[in-house]
Amino acid sequence: MEGNYNEVYDAYKSGNANAPIIITGNNAVVKSLLISGDYIIVKNIEVTGAEYHGIITKGSHIVIQDTVVHHNVTDNGYGPICNTQNNIDGGWGSGIKVERGSENIIIKNNFVYENCGEGIAATMGEYVSIIDNISRDNFSVNIYVDNSSFTTVLRNKVICTGEGYLRDGRRATGIAIGEEVYEGWGAQRHDNHILENTVDGCYEGISSWKSKVPEGIEKNLDIKDNIVTNETYQSISLYWVNQNVKIEGNTVDTPIFIENQGGTVLSNNIVKESEN
């Protein structure tokens, strides 16, 4: 129903493949939404004011679509000036968060902006599809694939305007692939795909970060047909050991940076009107 719901809404019951539970808003504004059941569709809801995650999934077979998620992670500030004083232990909230063990998640057609943490984050997820979203001016990373596998980031529009939401004085990264340490999880960053996205004005456009797990590598990654413009540092960058990484058909403003060339193939990228 229309109205403001100043509470954490817990969708803990499950539907099934033939009859999913559908949660839809009619001008409804929710403080925070936890999806712990399976086979659930969430759509047309505004989520704002959460102290930590705006929307978090802990179940499987979940669709989040046509939502507006903004000004969450308030324990880190409310913007445009965010801070990390309350996160000295390394904990970070997100506008939309896929949590440990969630699988078969679709996040599509959402507008995620001005959260004092990550925008959209898949953390320890499997088979996550992040499609056709707008992610703008989030404090940490606009779209973050963290120690996850079989994740597809497709046709998203990522924007960093520089109007606040600066971390250590710089704009956020557009799309990042990382591998942080989580107890009992190990190194499971592999088979991820970053395809047909546009990234504008961010510090780094698309970046594969160094693994924090000793045995971790960047494995089976495709970065293909993306457009990266107006970055303030680097367009596409890889900082770690690579295995079967393909960077193909991207259009970028600055040269592609690869710290370790082994295991990487570049083809048909357009860099400052020249092909590599």
Side-chain angles (χ1 to χ4, degrees):
M1 300 291 292
E2 181 175 355
N4 294 316
Y5 298 84
N6 189 28
E7 60 191 59
V8 177
Y9 186 92
D10 185 1
Y12 60 89
K13 293 186 177 181
S14 295
N16 58 57
N18 296 320
I21 293 173
I22 301 175
I23 302 170
T24 185
N26 179 17
N27 296 318
V29 181
V30 178
K31 181 177 180 180
S32 183
L33 179 59
L34 166 62
I35 309 171
S36 52
D38 301 329
Y39 293 100
I40 295 175
I41 298 172
V42 174
K43 60 183 181 179
N44 299 320
I45 290 178
E46 181 178 354
V47 180
T48 187
E51 294 180 4
Y52 201 45
H53 305 304
I55 300 176
I56 179 171
T57 75
K58 293 188 175 182
S60 298
H61 301 282
I62 293 165
V63 178
I64 301 169
Q65 68 180 70
D66 304 315
T67 67
V68 178
V69 183
H70 64 98
H71 295 98
N72 296 290
V73 202
T74 61
D75 66 351
N76 217 22
Y78 193 76
I81 298 175
C82 305
N83 63 75
T84 58
Q85 293 179 358
N86 295 323
N87 281 315
I88 57 175
D89 61 350
W92 284 96
S94 307
I96 300 177
K97 179 78 161 184
V98 177
E99 190 51 278
R100 180 177 187 140
S102 283
E103 60 181 30
N104 293 295
I105 310 297
I106 298 173
I107 301 170
K108 66 178 182 180
N109 297 323
N110 303 288
F111 184 21
V112 183
Y113 69 97
E114 297 180 13
N115 297 282
C116 275
E118 298 146 353
I120 302 171
T123 301
M124 298 176 286
E126 293 183 290
Y127 299 99
V128 178
S129 297
I130 302 171
I131 304 173
D132 291 327
N133 302 280
I134 299 174
S135 185
R136 175 177 64 76
D137 286 332
N138 296 287
F139 177 58
S140 179
V141 183
N142 281 284
I143 298 177
Y144 187 26
V145 179
D146 176 20
N147 210 334
S148 295
S149 57
F150 304 105
T151 294
T152 299
V153 181
L154 173 66
R155 291 193 309 269
N156 299 279
K157 185 174 183 179
V158 180
I159 307 166
C160 303
T161 66
E163 298 175 0
Y165 300 90
L166 302 179
R167 182 179 178 187
D168 299 326
R170 62 171 176 79
R171 303 180 187 191
T173 293
I175 301 170
I177 310 99
E179 194 166 46
E180 299 187 32
V181 175
Y182 300 99
E183 184 177 356
W185 191 256
Q188 298 194 43
R189 173 173 64 173
H190 61 85
D191 294 280
N192 295 309
H193 310 279
I194 314 297
L195 311 172
E196 301 177 35
N197 302 280
T198 60
V199 183
D200 184 75
C202 299
Y203 177 69
E204 294 177 304
I206 301 170
S207 187
S208 166
W209 290 345
K210 179 178 179 179
S211 177
K212 295 182 180 180
V213 182
E215 67 273 21
I217 63 174
E218 182 64 86
K219 183 167 63 176
N220 301 339
L221 171 66
D222 294 327
I223 300 176
K224 184 177 181 181
D225 296 333
N226 301 280
I227 299 173
V228 182
T229 55
N230 299 313
E231 65 282 353
T232 61
Y233 181 48
Q234 289 178 334
S235 57
I236 298 175
S237 51
L238 279 67
Y239 294 102
W240 196 229
V241 177
N242 304 303
Q243 177 181 314
N244 190 31
V245 174
K246 298 177 182 178
I247 304 177
E248 302 176 328
N250 302 282
T251 301
V252 298
D253 281 351
T254 58
I256 295 168
F257 174 79
I258 303 175
E259 189 166 297
N260 300 289
Q261 295 286 334
T264 306
V265 175
L266 282 77
S267 63
N268 300 317
N269 299 288
I270 299 174
V271 184
K272 291 188 174 180
E273 301 183 350
S274 66
E275 293 188 359
N276 71 324

